[in-house]
Coordinates of all heavy atoms in Angstrom, one line a residue:
G15 N 109.7 95.9 78.3 CA 108.7 97.0 78.4 C 108.5 97.5 79.9 O 108.6 98.6 80.2
M16 N 108.3 96.4 80.7 CA 108.2 96.8 82.2 C 109.4 97.4 82.7 O 109.3 98.3 83.5 CB 107.7 95.6 82.9 CG 106.3 95.1 82.6 SD 105.7 93.6 83.4 CE 105.6 94.1 85.1
G17 N 110.5 97.0 82.3 CA 111.8 97.5 82.8 C 112.0 98.9 82.3 O 112.5 99.8 83.1
T18 N 111.6 99.2 81.1 CA 111.8 100.5 80.5 C 110.8 101.5 81.4 O 111.3 102.6 81.7 CB 111.2 100.6 79.0 OG1 112.1 99.7 78.3 CG2 111.4 101.9 78.5
V19 N 109.6 101.1 81.7 CA 108.6 101.9 82.3 C 109.2 102.1 83.8 O 109.1 103.2 84.3 CB 107.3 101.3 82.4 CG1 106.4 102.0 83.4 CG2 106.6 101.3 81.1
L20 N 109.8 101.1 84.4 CA 110.3 101.2 85.8 C 111.5 102.1 85.8 O 111.5 103.1 86.6 CB 110.6 99.9 86.3 CG 111.3 99.9 87.7 CD1 110.2 100.3 88.7 CD2 111.7 98.4 88.0
A21 N 112.3 102.1 84.8 CA 113.4 103.0 84.7 C 113.0 104.5 84.6 O 113.6 105.3 85.2 CB 114.4 102.5 83.6
F22 N 112.0 104.6 83.6 CA 111.6 105.9 83.5 C 110.9 106.5 84.7 O 111.2 107.7 85.1 CB 110.5 106.0 82.4 CG 109.8 107.4 82.1 CD1 110.5 108.3 81.5 CD2 108.5 107.5 82.5 CE1 109.9 109.6 81.2 CE2 108.0 108.8 82.4 CZ 108.6 109.8 81.6
L23 N 110.1 105.8 85.4 CA 109.4 106.2 86.6 C 110.5 106.5 87.7 O 110.5 107.6 88.5 CB 108.4 105.2 87.2 CG 107.1 105.0 86.3 CD1 106.2 104.0 86.9 CD2 106.4 106.4 86.3
C24 N 111.5 105.8 87.9 CA 112.6 106.0 88.9 C 113.4 107.3 88.5 O 113.6 108.0 89.4 CB 113.5 104.8 88.9 SG 112.8 103.4 89.7
T25 N 113.6 107.4 87.2 CA 114.3 108.6 86.7 C 113.5 109.9 87.0 O 114.0 110.9 87.5 CB 114.6 108.6 85.2 OG1 115.5 107.3 85.0 CG2 115.4 109.7 84.8
T26 N 112.2 109.8 86.9 CA 111.3 110.9 87.1 C 111.3 111.3 88.6 O 111.4 112.4 88.9 CB 109.8 110.7 86.6 OG1 109.9 110.2 85.3 CG2 108.9 111.7 86.8
I27 N 111.2 110.3 89.5 CA 111.1 110.5 90.9 C 112.5 111.2 91.3 O 112.4 112.1 92.1 CB 110.8 109.2 91.6 CG1 109.4 108.8 91.3 CG2 111.1 109.3 93.1 CD1 109.1 107.4 91.8
I28 N 113.6 110.6 90.9 CA 114.9 111.1 91.3 C 115.1 112.6 90.9 O 115.5 113.5 91.6 CB 116.0 110.2 90.8 CG1 116.0 108.9 91.5 CG2 117.3 110.9 91.0 CD1 116.9 107.9 91.1
S29 N 114.6 112.9 89.6 CA 114.7 114.2 89.1 C 113.8 115.2 89.9 O 114.2 116.3 90.1 CB 114.4 114.3 87.6 OG 113.1 114.0 87.3
M30 N 112.6 114.7 90.3 CA 111.8 115.6 91.0 C 112.4 115.9 92.3 O 112.2 117.0 92.9 CB 110.4 115.0 91.2 CG 109.6 114.9 89.9 SD 108.1 114.1 90.1 CE 107.2 114.9 91.3
I31 N 113.0 114.9 93.0 CA 113.7 115.0 94.5 C 114.8 116.1 94.2 O 115.0 117.1 95.0 CB 114.1 113.8 94.9 CG1 112.9 113.0 95.3 CG2 115.0 114.0 96.1 CD1 113.3 111.5 95.7
I32 N 115.5 116.0 93.1 CA 116.7 116.9 92.9 C 116.1 118.3 92.7 O 116.8 119.3 93.2 CB 117.6 116.4 91.8 CG1 118.4 115.1 92.2 CG2 118.6 117.5 91.3 CD1 119.1 114.4 91.1
M33 N 115.2 118.4 91.8 CA 114.6 119.8 91.6 C 114.0 120.4 92.8 O 114.1 121.6 93.0 CB 113.5 119.7 90.5 CG 114.1 119.5 89.0 SD 115.3 120.7 88.6 CE 114.2 122.1 88.6
A34 N 113.4 119.6 93.7 CA 112.8 120.3 94.9 C 114.0 120.8 95.8 O 113.9 121.8 96.4 CB 112.1 119.1 95.7
K35 N 115.2 120.0 95.8 CA 116.2 120.6 96.6 C 116.8 121.8 96.0 O 117.2 122.8 96.7 CB 117.3 119.5 96.8 CG 116.9 118.3 97.7 CD 117.9 117.4 97.7 CE 117.4 116.2 98.6 NZ 118.4 115.2 98.8
V36 N 116.9 121.9 94.7 CA 117.4 123.1 93.9 C 116.6 124.3 94.1 O 117.0 125.4 94.5 CB 117.6 122.8 92.4 CG1 117.9 124.0 91.7 CG2 118.7 121.7 92.3
V37 N 115.2 124.1 94.1 CA 114.2 125.2 94.3 C 114.3 125.7 95.7 O 114.3 126.8 95.8 CB 112.9 124.7 93.9 CG1 111.8 125.7 94.4 CG2 112.7 124.5 92.4
K38 N 114.5 124.7 96.7 CA 114.6 125.3 98.1 C 115.8 126.1 98.3 O 115.9 127.1 98.9 CB 114.7 124.1 99.1 CG 113.4 123.4 99.3 CD 113.6 122.3 100.4 CE 112.3 121.6 100.6 NZ 112.4 120.5 101.5
K39 N 117.0 125.8 97.6 CA 118.2 126.6 97.7 C 118.0 127.9 97.0 O 118.5 129.0 97.5 CB 119.4 125.9 97.1 CG 119.8 124.8 98.0 CD 121.1 124.0 97.6 CE 121.5 122.9 98.5 NZ 122.8 122.3 98.3
I40 N 117.3 127.9 95.8 CA 117.1 129.2 95.0 C 116.2 130.1 95.9 O 116.4 131.2 95.8 CB 116.5 128.8 93.6 CG1 117.6 128.2 92.8 CG2 116.0 130.1 93.1 CD1 117.2 127.7 91.5

Side-chain angles (χ1 to χ4, degrees):
M16 290 177 72
T18 303
V19 170
L20 180 65
F22 176 75
L23 291 176
C24 290
T25 304
T26 303
I27 291 170
I28 291 169
S29 65
M30 288 175 62
I31 291 170
I32 291 171
M33 285 302 297
K35 290 180 181 180
V36 168
V37 168
K38 281 183 184 178
K39 287 186 181 184
I40 290 175

